[in-house]
Amino acid sequence: MAEKYRHLYVVIEHEDGEFLPVSLEMVGEARRLMDSFNTKYSSNEKVVAVILGHNVQDLSKQLIEYGADAVVYADNPELKDVRNTIYTKVIGQIVQDTKSLGEIEPEYASDIKRPRYMFFAADSIGRHLSSTTLVELESGLASDINKLVIEDIEMSHQQKTGGTKETYAKTLEMYRPDFSGFLWTTILCLDNRNPAFKRDYHPQSCSIIPGVFEPLKRDSLREGKIIEFTPTIDPQDLKVKVLGREIIKSEVDFETPRTIVSFGRGIKDDPEQNIKLIENLAKELNAEIGVTLPMSKKPYQISQALDSKYMIPARVIGTSGHKTSAMLYVAAGVSGAMQHVMGMKDSGFVVGINPDEDAPIKNECDVFIKGRMEDVIPLLIEEIKKQIQIVEVQ
Ligand SMILES: Cc1cc2nc3c(=O)[nH]c(=O)nc-3n(C[C@H](O)[C@H](O)[C@H](O)COP(=O)(O)OP(=O)(O)OC[C@H]3O[C@@H](n4cnc5c(N)ncnc54)[C@H](O)[C@@H]3O)c2cc1C
């Protein structure tokens, strides 16, 4: 029997003629997944990149070189800037367009209803767009995913299967780090097979954390289909006007300093004093100060001066904040959740200060100091001062 769902669609983000890195990372992972899918199921399903914008033909060609089998692009001045309502509508139109499906795979075009799988970026644009698009497509969405597996799974579920055991073939297992990154949650988007309320949930979709997957090397010899899609644009969907765009510089510069000292919930026993310790260490090292995401939510009562200076989103390191490749990264009272690590893993030399030697940050460290920051940091400062004196004398 012909299948109603085929292919993996990847929604691409770009800015000023350049891809956002996460777009190529998603295409790379889509290629790897679909290559093993096609081998496992003796199939020939495609990686289809979807790109919206104005003057995007050249980018479309590059997407083939980075691993897509086909690219469907919508080129229109009204799509130059990302506006959620119109983008949602146009993506919805593209993924259900029988004409472009016919160009991708003529033999199945009349049977296919929707993509089998769909990827978006887990960034500020992709998180919003994925949720509204999946509402439009009446399916489910898993957010902030960093591991993907395609498997046949067997399950029996009161709601989904009416209590009988069913095999769900070609299920996308979507993993995300939860509970501070210490547990993995596996999210499945399964059709309802319960005779009482049968209903399909396709595409199986997710947003993907930037920086997790590797892009493929660009290969100018790769070939694929580039398909232009002419969107239907309703003036009702253009109510938001973009009058101008300005890149706002972050209040905190994490690019220039060669050293960053970050702190997390490990300051909890004496937040005020511990932040002052961190400040002193940062001063000795000529470092900028970063924080973990929970710190930006102001979890502790501290003086207004320290609170407004440090407990702010602009200092967050990780997937929800900045990425750094500092020469030296000191993580004090930071557990090392996946989302934090994604922001600092490119640092040259990493020092962790933590009393818990099972904390995941240890795996990222060149030097792990087992101990409380209250005890360790004063010793470090003393030692750094001595070393500076030695260098000055020499
Ligand atoms: C969608 C999403 C996005 C996220 N984005 C980010 C992000 O960008 N950046 C980010 O950081 N987090 C992010 N998070 C949160 C992340 O999952 C973790 O919850 C967070 O990083 C944990 O912060 P922490 O290390 O400060 O706290 P905890 O995990 O509570 O760790 C505190 C650590 O301090 C240690 N400690 C305790 N006492 C002391 C002491 N006296 N001295 C030294 N160490 C001590 C403990 O042993 C522990 O390891 C995100 C989560 C989600 C769901």
Side-chain angles (χ1 to χ4, degrees):
M1 195 180 67
E3 295 194 74
K4 287 188 280 183
Y5 309 112
R6 284 178 76 79
H7 313 315
L8 192 167
Y9 279 59
V10 183
V11 176
I12 301 299
E13 289 185 26
H14 55 99
E15 174 100 41
D16 298 331
E18 305 270 342
F19 295 113
L20 298 198
V22 64
S23 295
L24 300 181
E25 292 159 15
M26 291 192 293
V27 173
E29 181 61 5
R31 180 74 277 143
R32 284 183 284 271
L33 276 173
M34 292 316 278
D35 283 347
S36 63
F37 175 104
N38 288 331
T39 307
K40 184 171 171 183
Y41 297 110
S42 307
S43 187
N44 189 23
E45 296 198 24
K46 312 290 187 197
V47 173
V48 184
V50 173
I51 180 163
L52 277 55
H54 189 38
N55 298 329
V56 289
Q57 288 89 337
D58 185 47
L59 289 177
S60 303
K61 186 167 169 294
Q62 287 185 44
L63 287 165
I64 301 287
E65 297 170 357
Y66 279 109
D69 295 302
V71 179
V72 185
Y73 72 93
D75 198 300
N76 188 300
E78 293 293 2
L79 299 174
K80 182 170 172 286
D81 296 303
V82 181
R83 285 179 287 174
N84 184 268
T85 309
I86 186 63
Y87 263 56
T88 300
K89 291 276 177 73
V90 175
I91 293 169
Q93 291 167 18
I94 288 176
V95 300
Q96 299 175 89
D97 175 47
T98 43
K99 187 168 161 283
S100 53
L101 280 167
E103 288 186 50
I104 294 167
E105 226 186 9
E107 61 274 38
Y108 296 108
S110 55
D111 302 310
I112 309 174
K113 300 281 173 273
R114 298 276 171 87
R116 187 187 292 287
Y117 313 119
M118 231 176 138
F119 291 174
F120 295 80
D123 56 18
S124 53
I125 289 173
R127 282 190 183 120
H128 189 191
L129 195 56
S130 55
S131 59
T132 49
T133 305
L134 268 297
V135 169
E136 182 89 1
L137 298 175
E138 298 186 327
S139 188
L141 173 76
S143 62
D144 292 88
I145 296 303
N146 70 344
K147 185 178 160 196
L148 293 152
V149 177
I150 296 172
E151 279 293 353
D152 296 341
I153 61 163
E154 274 205 336
M155 65 165 257
S156 143
H157 186 270
Q158 202 54 41
Q159 192 82 356
K160 284 269 162 201
T161 69
T164 59
K165 198 179 229 179
E166 290 274 341
T167 301
Y168 284 88
K170 304 170 184 168
T171 297
L172 184 63
E173 294 182 354
M174 300 173 275
Y175 292 81
R176 59 171 276 157
D178 274 317
F179 300 105
S180 293
F182 298 114
L183 276 183
W184 291 89
T185 310
T186 314
I187 301 175
L188 309 175
C189 183
L190 302 174
D191 295 341
N192 264 357
R193 304 245 182 102
N194 187 338
F197 39 91
K198 272 190 170 230
R199 177 158 153 11
D200 280 8
Y201 287 94
H202 274 81
Q204 301 173 46
S205 311
C206 62
S207 60
I208 291 181
I209 298 179
V212 175
F213 297 116
E214 285 289 320
L216 294 183
K217 266 182 106 167
R218 188 172 175 181
D219 175 358
S220 58
L221 299 178
R222 275 200 56 131
E223 290 184 359
K225 292 199 171 140
I226 298 181
I227 301 160
E228 181 169 14
F229 174 80
T230 308
T232 308
I233 296 182
D234 181 345
Q236 284 293 318
D237 298 327
L238 300 175
K239 285 183 178 162
V240 173
K241 305 278 178 219
V242 179
L243 302 178
R245 293 177 77 240
E246 190 187 341
I247 296 184
I248 298 167
K249 228 175 158 302
S250 170
E251 298 162 58
V252 187
D253 173 16
F254 283 115
E255 276 166 32
T256 319
R258 289 142 61 95
T259 304
I260 292 174
V261 178
S262 280
F263 67 87
R265 281 195 284 227
I267 61 164
K268 64 184 180 339
D269 290 342
D270 192 346
E272 184 91 18
Q273 284 313 312
N274 283 337
I275 295 177
K276 286 184 179 158
L277 272 181
I278 300 275
E279 270 187 326
N280 288 340
L281 177 62
K283 196 165 144 236
E284 291 306 325
L285 292 171
N286 196 16
E288 187 50 271
I289 294 181
V291 298
T292 61
L293 184 70
M295 294 297 97
S296 69
K297 311 264 161 82
K298 305 182 182 297
Y300 308 116
Q301 291 278 335
I302 53 171
S303 64
Q304 178 60 25
L306 291 185
D307 186 280
S308 59
K309 191 166 180 194
Y310 296 117
M311 309 306 232
I312 53 170
R315 290 197 184 269
V316 172
I317 302 286
T319 55
S320 311
H322 296 270
K323 207 169 172 198
T324 168
S325 43
M327 269 175 69
L328 171 63
Y329 189 86
V330 182
V334 173
S335 60
M338 223 293 292
Q339 294 95 342
H340 185 83
V341 169
M342 292 314 300
M344 49 65 72
K345 69 180 171 50
D346 294 337
S347 303
F349 195 88
V350 178
V351 178
I353 304 168
N354 198 311
D356 176 8
E357 61 181 312
D358 292 326
I361 193 71
K362 190 175 169 200
N363 303 328
E364 308 302 322
C365 287
D366 295 283
V367 172
F368 179 79
I369 305 172
K370 184 181 171 194
R372 289 161 48 80
M373 64 172 83
E374 296 86 337
D375 305 325
V376 174
I377 293 179
L379 296 177
L380 271 182
I381 293 173
E382 204 179 307
E383 193 56 33
I384 293 165
K385 281 184 171 155
K386 273 195 225 155
Q387 295 300 328
I388 290 172
Q389 274 168 11
I390 292 169
V391 172
E392 279 171 357
V393 169
Q394 283 173 345

